[in-house]
Amino acid sequence: MTPRMWAAGTLAVLVVGLVVYAAVVVPWHRPPAPRADQVAALKEFPAGQLARARAFHGALRPAGYGSMAIGLVGALLLGLTPLGARLVTLAGRPFGGHWIAQAVLGGLIVVLVVEVVTLPLAAWRHRVVVEYGISTQSWGAWAVDLVKSYAVGAVIGGLALLGFFAVTRAAPRWWWAFGAAGAALVVVLLSFVLPVVVEPIFNKFTPMADGPLRTELMQLAARDGVPVKDVLVADASRRTRAVNAYVSGFGPTRRIVVYDTMLTEATPDEVVSVAAHELGHAKRGDVLTGTIIGALGAAAAVIALYLLGSLGWLLRWAGTDSMGDPRAIALLIALVTIAGLAGGPVQAMVSRRIESRADAHALELTGDPATFEAMQRRLGTVNLSDPDPPAWEYVMSASHPSTVERIAAARAYARGER
Ligand SMILES: [Zn+2]
């Protein structure tokens, strides 16, 4: 068997594995939130609030879709024409065309070109979130965040490119195998490392102060049988008025993080309701599930890229002769961009099912659908989310059930439907 046949076989095994794993682990058969309850909940939203939320999302849309479109066109323009390859060659020239300079600098320049072109749209977005009172950031603080995220992206991306092209050079025929294993490993590693190393670059995390709320949250976790190392408060208020909570990491790095905005905006009961949702994620190992799906997907993607490298016309378009050559960076990025856009709706659907199960967990754990509903209203009001977003947008990108769906689920629970 040739390396290519091995690659095709491995890809088939990974894809089947991914589909089977997702079929088994993702809670596909969640009962739908009763539509009648959704309609009733929507009618109860004050007309002014609904109009303001919709105006806010309408104002964000041009920048959001504009930047998606420009990002895609830019990636295709650089990746499916020799432009990207030329940029990479130029980046390596001061270093005698050394492959490391081409891989790292070339890769960063290709990404940066697209980032710079979409920068005005990011600024437009910031202006809108400030105008609607969601963001509390000055332009200076916004720019600092931007530079920080470029720096983090450059370090992670640079290391990934360096590793990738080191492997393609060392094993020109079998790099897909090492690359796939490496990509999967990186996904797992990032799950551990991001909350501990990267999140503190953007926010300060402090253990929630001792008091009735902390005691109640730790008791809730104990009652749920979920070992939680700590409940942390993030200083999100330096950036936003929005309220949120999440669980990240797993094993020794698992923590529940609550935005400090939530402690000032929401009642303690509502914080408990949100924490119960997060415990639902922890109990079902949703971070681990996401990590495994991500790792299998990353491994499959590397092999797919290798196999696409046998298409001579594609390489000629990109002005390179091999996927393993740094001059193919723009082509790799273009293909990954297309895959990301195509996979977005599937990812969102998987996420919505998992979120809906965490909601059900919160309702069962607290037995308090009234507070759950109040919290959903609070999230909707403070964050200016559209309680019932347009169907196409929901399908394309909604990571959570809509506010009216979540309220409807709470009402169904209150009636004893479960
Ligand atoms: Zn969640």
Side-chain angles (χ1 to χ4, degrees), residues 13 31 37 65 67 73 78 103 120 145 157 165 177 188-189 199 216 268 282 316 321 327 347 395 403:
V13 169
D37 288 315
Y65 289 106
S67 125
V73 170
L78 291 173
D145 264 9
F165 289 107
V188 174
L189 202 69
E199 286 173 11
E216 193 172 349
R316 269 193 302 282
D321 49 16
R327 287 162 52 84
Q347 236 175 353
V395 168
T403 304

Side-chain angles (χ1 to χ4, degrees), residues 244-247 274 277-278 281 286 351 354-356 358-359 399-401 406:
N244 197 11
Y246 62 96
V247 53
V274 168
H277 168 102
E278 299 307 326
H281 286 310
D286 290 341
S351 170
I354 288 174
E355 292 299 339
S356 147
D359 278 351
S399 62
H400 288 64
R406 301 178 87 174

Side-chain angles (χ1 to χ4, degrees), residues 375-386:
M375 185 63 216
Q376 293 309 321
R377 287 184 186 285
R378 177 92 61 193
L379 280 167
T381 312
V382 178
N383 298 357
L384 274 186
S385 43
D386 185 340

Side-chain angles (χ1 to χ4, degrees), residues 14 31 42 53 104 107 155 213 215 228 231 236 250 272 283 285-286 332 334-335 384 396:
L14 280 173
L42 186 61
V104 178
V155 170
L213 182 57
T215 309
V228 173
V231 181
F250 48 89
V272 169
K283 186 155 189 166
D286 290 341
L332 294 171
L335 295 171
L384 274 186
M396 292 299 288

